[in-house]
Amino acid sequence: MLDRIMSNILKWDMNLKWVYLDIGSYHQIEESVTYKLYKRGWSGIAVDASPATKSLFTEYRPNDKFINAVIGEKHNVYVDFYFLGELNEHSLINTKELTKSQKRLFPTAQPTKQRQVNIVKELESLGVEKIDVLNLDVEGAELEILKSFDFDKYSAAVIIVAIHGNNMLKVLKSEVTQFLIEIGYTWCASTVIIYFFVKK
């Protein structure tokens, strides 16, 4: 899907080295939108709160810059954060707040204190000057991050965002979708809960 968007809609030269930002990177290979971009020689910034995920990226994707923190509006503060379940030595679900179903599945789950950073300030500290593709999957914190993002400075051509829901019409009326439309993006594709938006 991403190939078609980049080559057919944006008319990008796929031999060039574009830049991605992967927030909620989860795993360095499995279910990773950015892994094949990495294999093509793209450079990127991966973000995840899990220390185990950091270890996996350091070993298997050493050319990526990795930010090991929770992302939110406020910078350099500590917040409650849940790590739920284990899969391949890293957390299956990382989240700030538990949903009702997660509370039922994990009745004894307790939060830990994790460092939260503002992504724009972190990108500035790393010297990142542009983002071509933004991938965002953070278990419900997508809108908070999008609202704290500097779209004037980092005007990603493609935004890929996880929006949970089984009714596509309702998803397209969601706060995340409406926010992206208001700032100049258009929805162009989806795969189950992953929605692709392209800057007009």
Side-chain angles (χ1 to χ4, degrees):
M1 192 70 74
L2 187 55
D3 271 344
R4 291 181 65 85
I5 291 169
M6 293 186 296
S7 58
N8 294 356
I9 297 176
L10 298 173
K11 309 296 183 184
W12 281 0
D13 180 348
M14 301 305 288
N15 294 316
L16 297 180
K17 309 304 182 188
W18 305 89
V19 179
Y20 55 80
L21 172 60
D22 192 350
I23 302 178
S25 48
Y26 176 73
H27 192 272
Q28 82 282 7
I29 297 172
E30 292 180 9
E31 299 184 29
S32 173
V33 173
T34 59
Y35 176 62
K36 288 189 176 180
L37 304 180
Y38 177 85
K39 294 290 285 184
R40 284 177 172 164
W42 287 38
S43 60
I45 302 94
V47 184
D48 201 278
S50 169
T53 298
K54 178 183 178 180
S55 298
L56 292 169
F57 269 80
T58 301
E59 181 175 358
Y60 294 101
R61 288 171 60 168
N63 294 330
D64 276 340
K65 295 177 181 178
F66 193 89
I67 299 171
N68 191 198
V70 177
I71 302 299
E73 183 179 358
K74 294 182 179 180
H75 184 62
N76 208 21
V77 297
Y78 281 82
V79 298
D80 286 343
F81 200 75
Y82 294 87
F83 294 102
L84 305 178
E86 293 294 327
L87 179 65
N88 295 331
E89 301 179 347
H90 69 287
S91 294
L92 178 61
I93 299 173
N94 301 339
T95 184
K96 286 184 181 181
E97 296 183 11
L98 298 181
T99 64
K100 290 181 180 179
S101 61
Q102 288 169 347
K103 288 178 181 178
R104 287 194 299 269
L105 289 170
F106 304 95
T108 61
Q110 294 295 318
T112 60
K113 291 293 183 182
Q114 298 293 323
R115 179 172 173 260
Q116 174 180 286
V117 299
N118 178 285
I119 188 59
V120 174
K121 292 183 179 179
E122 284 295 295
L123 293 176
E124 289 173 349
S125 71
L126 291 171
V128 177
E129 296 183 353
K130 72 162 187 167
I131 297 295
D132 298 302
V133 174
L134 169 61
N135 184 56
L136 190 57
D137 186 356
V138 285
E139 301 297 330
E142 289 82 5
L143 187 61
E144 177 187 0
I145 295 172
L146 287 169
K147 285 185 174 180
S148 67
F149 200 69
D150 187 343
F151 287 96
D152 292 325
K153 184 171 185 177
Y154 300 108
S155 185
V158 181
I159 295 179
I160 308 156
V161 59
I163 307 175
H164 293 267
N166 297 322
N167 185 320
M168 187 173 290
L169 292 177
K170 287 184 179 179
V171 167
L172 294 178
K173 293 178 182 178
S174 69
E175 288 186 276
V176 170
T177 302
Q178 292 305 306
F179 175 82
L180 290 172
I181 290 170
E182 287 172 8
I183 62 171
Y185 287 82
T186 183
W187 168 64
C188 65
S190 64
T191 57
V192 192
I193 62 167
I194 305 301
Y195 289 76
F196 296 80
F197 297 84
V198 174
K199 189 170 180 64
K200 292 181 182 178

